[in-house]
Amino acid sequence: MLGFLTRPLHRLLSFLCPGLRIPRLSVLCAQPRPRAMAISSSSCKLPLVAVCQVTSTPDKQQNFKTCAELVREAARLGACLAFLPEAFDFIARDPAETLHLSEPLGGKLLEEYTQLARECGLWLSLGGFHERGQDWEQTQKIYNCHVLLNSKGAVVATYRKTHLCDVEIPGQGPMCESNSTMPGPSLESPVSTPAGKIGLAVCYDIRFPELSLALAQAGAEILTYPSAFGSVTGPAHWEVLLRARAIETQCYVVAAAQCGRHHEKRASYGHSMVVDPWGTVVARCSEGPGLCLARIDLNYLRQLRQHLPVFQHRRPDLYGNLGHPLS
């Protein structure tokens, strides 16, 4: 199985998939799968997804221009779905600026993305929109909203981040998301897309396996964690957590990430990637803004779940409700 990345093995991809144009991409060969689970279907017939990596700033229009360029590139390459990271719309310098720049779902910025989806004819995962909800007038706080658009530009799902990142990491600086953001009230049921059934989450949600297991049990085949990990937690935890969520749920995991320095107060780790249900990284972005591509093989996912039926072996009679805080 092949994933796609950023330059050297261009000729191999051209040989395997004639006619596929690759502007800034190369191939990442996954580690071999167990022999019993080898897939004979042609990889070029499988749905292709694009994972976009950007460096958002407080300049919303420049951010849209950057994202639109990557989405159009993904469409040219044949992707059916493009994933954008958390805070694709902007990353502000402080909570006051965040609230000032935020918009409702019916605002100008989302309209531009609905037009972009229609223009390109592909689905968009907008990984973390700073949303002024219906309670804005009462709370003066926003939601970190993951919006899924179909290829006609219609909003087919919204998930409001349920776990807010209020942490103090030495060397990375404090973050208190709840200063400006309300936690979402519920999970969103997995959504059928041309690539498979997608379960929506956002960044810090990745640290809560209960959420990913709930989405998998509800039918998810792809989990998506659009993120903006920092420079300390990124190298230590990012890939480990993504691979763990993929292995324990036997889902594909797609993680679009912010990268680089957004302004004088904040920088992000990057390393956007796609992980298959075996836990193998099948695509990874290089340094800086760009995209990577991967094909989603649901036959392989089903075969893996058949060979390793962990969901049939669970003991809810023993675990109880794992969501309670430690005593």
Side-chain angles (χ1 to χ4, degrees):
M1 166 111 178
L2 295 175
F4 304 79
L5 181 66
T6 8
R7 251 184 226 240
L9 298 179
H10 184 285
R11 292 182 181 178
L12 175 59
L13 183 58
S14 299
F15 173 76
L16 291 172
C17 301
L20 184 61
R21 191 175 68 83
I22 310 158
R24 302 199 308 265
L25 305 167
S26 73
V27 179
L28 174 66
C29 294
Q31 299 170 6
R33 289 172 170 162
R35 193 176 295 271
M37 288 185 281
I39 301 298
S40 59
S41 59
S42 169
S43 65
C44 289
K45 296 180 181 179
L46 300 173
L48 185 69
V49 300
V51 185
C52 302
Q53 181 166 281
V54 301
T55 307
S56 291
T57 72
D59 187 336
K60 291 163 67 173
Q61 278 308 303
Q62 183 58 47
N63 295 336
F64 174 74
K65 182 179 178 181
T66 299
C67 290
E69 179 183 343
L70 291 173
V71 169
R72 291 185 179 108
E73 185 174 340
R76 287 195 298 269
L77 291 166
C80 64
L81 200 156
F83 294 83
L84 293 173
E86 181 182 34
F88 67 94
D89 50 353
F90 64 87
I91 291 183
R93 296 175 182 87
D94 54 52
E97 187 176 40
T98 295
L99 295 175
H100 174 71
L101 293 173
S102 63
E103 296 184 19
L105 287 179
K108 176 184 175 182
L109 187 63
L110 251 292
E111 177 58 30
E112 290 182 305
Y113 277 97
T114 62
Q115 292 176 12
L116 180 65
R118 287 196 295 267
E119 170 198 327
C120 295
L122 82 174
W123 288 55
L124 292 179
S125 162
L126 305 177
F129 174 73
H130 297 86
E131 178 208 1
R132 292 188 184 186
Q134 294 182 351
D135 55 0
W136 164 253
E137 294 295 333
Q138 293 76 39
T139 66
Q140 291 296 294
K141 289 189 175 184
I142 60 174
Y143 292 96
N144 190 339
C145 185
H146 189 160
V147 183
L148 188 65
L149 304 178
N150 66 17
S151 57
K152 296 181 180 179
V155 175
V156 295
T158 55
Y159 162 73
R160 293 165 179 87
K161 186 178 181 183
T162 50
H163 302 98
L164 300 184
C165 189
D166 291 356
V167 301
E168 292 189 26
I169 307 295
Q172 189 170 288
M175 175 171 287
C176 191
E177 190 173 14
S178 63
N179 281 345
S180 59
T181 306
M182 298 282 289
S186 62
L187 303 184
E188 178 72 16
S189 297
V191 180
S192 294
T193 77
K197 293 192 74 173
I198 291 183
L200 304 179
V202 179
C203 197
Y204 191 56
D205 287 333
I206 196 175
R207 295 185 181 275
F208 302 90
E210 301 91 341
L211 183 151
S212 60
L213 290 170
L215 290 173
Q217 289 171 326
E221 297 161 323
I222 303 166
L223 301 177
T224 181
Y225 292 99
S227 297
F229 260 55
S231 57
V232 173
T233 55
H237 298 159
W238 174 244
E239 182 175 328
V240 176
L241 286 168
L242 293 172
R243 295 180 69 188
R245 297 297 85 86
I247 293 167
E248 70 197 5
T249 62
Q250 298 177 320
C251 288
Y252 280 89
V253 169
V254 179
Q258 291 282 344
C259 69
R261 182 152 293 280
H262 310 288
H263 46 69
E264 65 278 6
K265 295 183 178 180
R266 186 168 173 185
S268 294
Y269 177 64
H271 295 75
S272 303
M273 66 181 70
V274 180
V275 185
D276 76 8
W278 186 251
T280 300
V281 178
V282 294
R284 187 196 305 266
C285 282
S286 62
E287 297 298 323
L291 58 81
C292 62
L293 302 170
R295 295 198 179 273
I296 304 299
D297 190 340
L298 295 182
N299 286 333
Y300 169 59
L301 178 148
R302 297 182 189 109
Q303 195 174 8
L304 174 60
R305 290 180 176 182
Q306 181 180 357
H307 283 279
L308 194 61
V310 293
F311 280 94
Q312 296 178 31
H313 298 157
R314 293 195 180 280
R315 293 289 306 275
D317 58 312
L318 300 180
Y319 315 144
N321 185 345
L322 296 179
H324 291 302
L326 296 176
S327 58

